[in-house]
Amino acid sequence: MPKVYARRRLSILAALTAFIASLGLLNSPTASAALPTPVTAATARTYLASLTVATPNHTGYDRALFPHWITISGKCDTRETVLVRDGSNVVTDANCASTSGNWTSAYDGATTTVASSFDIDHVVPLSEAWDSGASKWTTAQRQAFANDLTRPQLIAVSASSNRSKGDKDPAQWMPTQTSYRCTYVRAWVQVKYYYGLSVDTAEKSALQNYLAGC
């Protein structure tokens, strides 16, 4: 067999192999996404050191003061956008509601194929934000906070873990899945730093302790 022909045949086989492999990738399950990657532990420690320490303001909070689940694109609101982002093999209907898919809760490891069984958690709870500075914001600022898809502030998690957390800060509650705690505190600090929110003494101490182990 002439060498030129042999090389050409090998080239064709290589191209065909690559094409078949690409088909396999296209047909493989979509990887599960997650909230935007938080800053590093070192950066989080720097951010934390600069946060104002203050006594929380526990008066006047109302969830309605933080307009949330606004339209993001077409018929998709914030909740639906996060469900698609954080799930795998997600199928949505004409109204952008997730009709099927797979979700894993980073907080407790729970899994589901039913989107309605998962909540969208605000890493820094709305009431926590209110108590630490958001009471002084405009409604537009609170809306931006409640629907922030750019910072690591929104994540799809099991309803049970979200209800367990409630409005607690890291001195009072942490994900039961210990492998996620470092990510969680880095996200918490980044969000508080970006929005200029304060921390209380116990909260700061807990964050320092967790970040020391990251």
Side-chain angles (χ1 to χ4, degrees):
M1 179 184 298
K3 292 182 179 179
V4 173
Y5 177 75
R7 285 197 297 269
R8 185 178 300 166
R9 184 178 181 185
L10 288 173
S11 177
I12 293 172
L13 286 173
L16 181 60
T17 300
F19 176 70
I20 292 172
S22 70
L23 289 178
L25 289 172
L26 290 172
N27 292 327
S28 62
T30 304
S32 178
L35 82 173
T37 303
V39 295
T40 65
T43 298
R45 286 191 286 269
T46 299
Y47 284 178
L48 179 58
S50 72
L51 295 183
T52 299
V53 177
T55 301
N57 165 39
H58 292 300
T59 59
Y61 169 72
D62 187 323
R63 190 173 177 84
L65 294 169
F66 292 79
H68 53 287
W69 305 170
I70 61 173
T71 299
I72 299 299
S73 176
K75 295 185 178 181
C76 302
D77 66 19
T78 315
R79 171 183 165 81
E80 291 151 353
T81 301
V82 175
L83 283 169
V84 171
R85 185 199 69 186
D86 289 1
S88 60
N89 301 317
V90 179
V91 176
T92 58
D93 63 19
N95 293 315
C96 202
S98 296
T99 57
S100 64
N102 298 279
W103 292 269
T104 299
S105 170
Y107 287 176
D108 56 3
T111 61
T112 190
T113 57
V114 181
S116 60
S117 69
F118 264 33
D119 289 347
I120 305 304
D121 180 52
H122 290 93
V123 171
V124 175
L126 302 182
S127 59
E128 168 67 25
W130 176 270
D131 293 347
S132 56
S135 60
K136 300 175 183 178
W137 295 352
T138 64
T139 299
Q141 288 173 312
R142 288 192 287 269
Q143 176 175 294
F145 177 84
N147 298 277
D148 190 349
L149 293 168
T150 303
R151 262 63 55 181
Q153 165 67 345
L154 297 172
I155 184 171
V157 296
S158 67
S160 59
S161 67
N162 189 42
R163 311 296 163 77
S164 172
K165 172 184 173 180
D167 60 2
K168 302 180 182 72
D169 68 33
Q172 306 161 315
W173 183 92
M174 286 293 286
T176 57
Q177 191 153 261
T178 56
S179 61
Y180 197 71
R181 290 179 176 178
C182 184
T183 300
Y184 183 76
V185 294
R186 286 158 45 212
W188 181 284
V189 172
Q190 180 179 346
V191 171
K192 282 225 159 178
Y193 176 83
Y194 180 83
Y195 285 98
L197 298 172
S198 63
V199 291
D200 63 40
T201 303
E203 175 189 356
K204 182 173 182 177
S205 178
L207 289 167
Q208 287 174 325
N209 291 336
Y210 284 114
L211 285 171
C214 290

